[in-house]
Each structure stands twice: as structure tokens, then as C-alpha cells.
Amino acid sequence: MSADTEVERKISDFLRRNGKSKALVIAKEFRIDKHTANKHLYNLERSNKAFKTDEQPPIWDLVENMNELKLTPEPKQKSQTTTETSGEKDVEELLMRSGGLKASHIARDLGQPTQIINKQLYSMEKKGKAKKCSQSQVWSLNEEWSDESLSQESDSRLQDCKLSSHSELFEMITELGDGGYGCVYEVKHKLDGKTFALKKVDLTGKADSEVKALAQLEHPNIVRYITSWPGPDIWTSNQQRNQVSNNRKYLFIQMEFCEGGTLTDWIRARNDLRKQRIIGEIHKIFYDIITGVEFIHANKLIHRDLKPDNILFRADGKVKIGDFGLVAAQTDQSGNPIERSKRRGTPPYMSPEQENKKNYDEKTDIFPLGLIWFEMLWKISTGMERVKLWPDLRNQSFPEGFSDRYSAESTFIMKMLSYSPEDRPYAKDIKGDLQTFFSPEQDLLSQKTI
Ligand code: ATP
Ligand code: MG
């Protein structure tokens, strides 16, 4: 047997024992460079013993493993090991992309129980791949490992890629929104292929507050922040750029991509009857929104721009509050009220005090939540109907039939729309009452159409 054939037999044995693997992992196992590992893997492919997936970087597996999977169920022990190995790869990729995360956060992102993720993390720690900061409980890849993986796995792509801005690591897929002070793009990371939302805002103090708040607010109902960096605008054409300003600097905010659209889309689809309103679904969504707002308020912040455009859905339907462009502290550092600029926000949803007073607190966020809950329940067919109904609604007057049909909800909404902030309930009280009165889980089970 030639030396090459011997190595290839060993690689086959390795794949048989451990399941599918990247070339880099195989190279490390046999202490050869990645180029040599690839040479052997392609030899195995030519002799129809191994194949590689289209993923980037490719993952190699034995043809016989494929057949085995299709024809007979795998023995329990082996399938567990394979799942663990592939699970570790997902964890590794997530840690590489994010720089560092808590186990609970990883579990949430990968949709796995924290217990399983912890097991994978400790196994990675044993192999020297990952480490945990004992103070912050944040897991990250061992520098040696991550540098090596990054440099070897993506060597050619990185060599081709001379970055003048971090934004160049992303390919722009589409523009998701061009709002008041920023522009949001759907982008794809050129190295790992994952999709993100990237918000480009003017580099100002306001942008600084937005990223600081997002970074602080780690919660299942708040859009997940990844990182941010300053840089030039790279996706606007030169001509457009010249029209605005030559060398303007922006802050780019990388966030999870909420593929399911906004609450505005959700409401629109129900108003034009493309979709049905289901009471259990409405209560569940509103419960998630109030849970997110409760967390913002518990962190001593105010959102100040709650509206359906700023409430997003992930592909799996999870509700996420976004757009922290107007976020503000509840009080100053000594706990005193802050003097604020008037009329900052979106007028139709703005509380009366946010429109005309210099001092206001977190109760300002409760007013728009009353309007949002109403809009989720009540069909508004035309723009004209909306124009007529809106000023009345803001003055606690509901259209005919609303209070009869939704007596419990209308009592809550009425309080939330109180002119005086002191008469409005706190987010945590609304959440508690929702649990008592509506039991979102039970509602969802009943799936009653309204
Ligand atoms: P505005 O001033 O109109 O509120 P803005 O400039 O402050 O807008 P955002 O509200 O953060 O920016 O985003 C504008 C739009 O981009 C959103 O309404 C939504 O359609 C889309 N968007 C924002 N963040 C995400 C995300 N993480 N995933 C998917 N879409 C998003
Ligand atoms: Mg917005």
C-alpha cells in the first residue's frame, strides 16, 4: 500500500468514526497542512468514497455514511456523537461571528436547550477550542484556534479581500428601509454566508446612544445586536454620494435579520383581509411586546418611538422590538428628571407629553402601546377611515362596537391612553394583568378567529 493510500484509509476511518468534518479538522487530526488534506480528500472523492457539501467551507463525509443514513437508522451512540460534533461546529461558527456570547444566548440563537449547549461548550473547552470568562460568563473561541481557523479556512478569500472598510465584508442584498435618520440593508456576510440587518446612521451622539442601548438590552424580545463600526458609505453610488456630502462618516450597526417583516405589514395583511385576525395570536404578540418594553424600562431607559414599523418579526415568528434611534435615559445620573427636546418621535403615536412637555418618563411609551394594541384588534379599511378615527382614539374614544366586542381589552387600552402619564399603568403591571386575564398560551391553543 502506498503512503498516500494509507493516509486516505486513515482519513476514511476518521470520517467513519467522527462523522462529517471540515478539511481543516482533518488536517489538524493528521498533523498535515490543509492543502495536503484536500489532496487526499479529492483522491477519495475521485474513487467515489467521499464527497463534499456545497457549504462554505465545504464539509466532507463518506459516501457510505450517506447510504447508511438513508437505508438504516444509525446506532444511537453514533448518531449522538455526530450530532454533538455538528452541534459544536454550529457553536464554533456562532462564536467566531459574534466574538463571544453567554451559553444561554447561544442556546437561544441555535434553538437548543442551554444544558446541551453547555455540554458542547465544555467539550470544546477540553479540546482547547473555547474558553469562558469566569467574571462575565461569556464564552469565546481560543484565540489560537479562531485565528488559525479563520486564516486557514478562508485564506484565499481573505487574501483576495483588501478591506478599506469593515462594511466590505458584507454583500448588500437589498434595502429594507430608508427611515428618518438611517438606512437599513439586508446584507450577507461574505465569509460565513449568514444574513444580517445592517443599519447605517450618521455618526452622531444619537447613534452612540442607539448602539449603547442595543448592546445593553440583551433580551428575547429585542432585536439582537451583533457589533458596530464607523466607516464610509460604500453602497451609495458616487453620484448620489456627491449630492449628499463627500466624505461623510457613518456608523454601521450589525443586527440579527428579522425576516418576518414588521408589525405594520402584519396589520396591513389583516386590514386588507389577506390574513385572518386570531385573538390568541394578537394576545401573544402584544404580550411579547410588553415583555420587551418592561425590560427596556427595567434598564432605566425609554424607547420613545414605539410604533408598528419598529416592531419586527423573526422568520420563526418571534417578536422583536427594534429602532433604538430615540432611546433615552429615564433620569439623569442623580435620579432627577431630564429636560428633553419636544416633539421627538412619530407624531401619530407620540404621547401628549412627548409632544408638548419638556419632562416626561417611561409612561410615554405606554401611550403608543395602547394605540398599537387597538390597531392589532380592529380592522381599519381605508386611509380616510383612519384619519377620522385616530384623533378620537387618542382621546380615549373608540369606534362603535369596539368596547362591546373587546370589553376587557378596551378597559386596558382606555387606561393606557390616559392623558396624564400617572394614570397609565406600568409595563410590568400590564404584563401581569395580561397573564391573569388573557393567558396568552391558552388563547393560542384556542386559535379563535375574530
Ligand atoms: P424610522 O426613522 O422610519 O423609524 P430608522 O431610520 O430609524 O427608521 P429603523 O426603524 O431601525 O430605522 O429601520 C427602518 C426599517 O428597516 C424598519 O421599519 C424595518 O422595515 C427595517 N429593519 C430595521 N431593522 C431590521 C432588522 N433587524 N431586520 C429586518 N428589517 C429591519
Ligand atoms: Mg424606525
Side-chain angles (χ1 to χ4, degrees), residues 179 199 305 307 309-310 323:
K199 183 166 178 175
D305 201 12
K307 57 179 176 179
D309 274 346
N310 291 338
D323 193 358

Side-chain angles (χ1 to χ4, degrees), residues 175-186 196-201 206 210 223-224 254-262 264-265 305 307-313 320 322-326 346:
E175 198 176 290
L176 295 166
D178 191 359
Y181 96 112
C183 195
V184 183
Y185 303 100
E186 176 188 340
F196 295 95
L198 194 58
K199 183 166 178 175
K200 180 189 80 184
V201 295
K206 190 163 167 288
E210 179 165 2
V223 170
R224 193 159 81 75
Q254 185 188 352
M255 300 169 276
E256 70 174 317
F257 175 47
C258 299
E259 214 177 329
T262 65
T264 305
D265 305 325
D305 201 12
K307 57 179 176 179
D309 274 346
N310 291 338
I311 292 165
L312 305 154
F313 293 96
K320 302 273 173 164
D323 193 358
F324 286 77
L326 282 188
T346 308

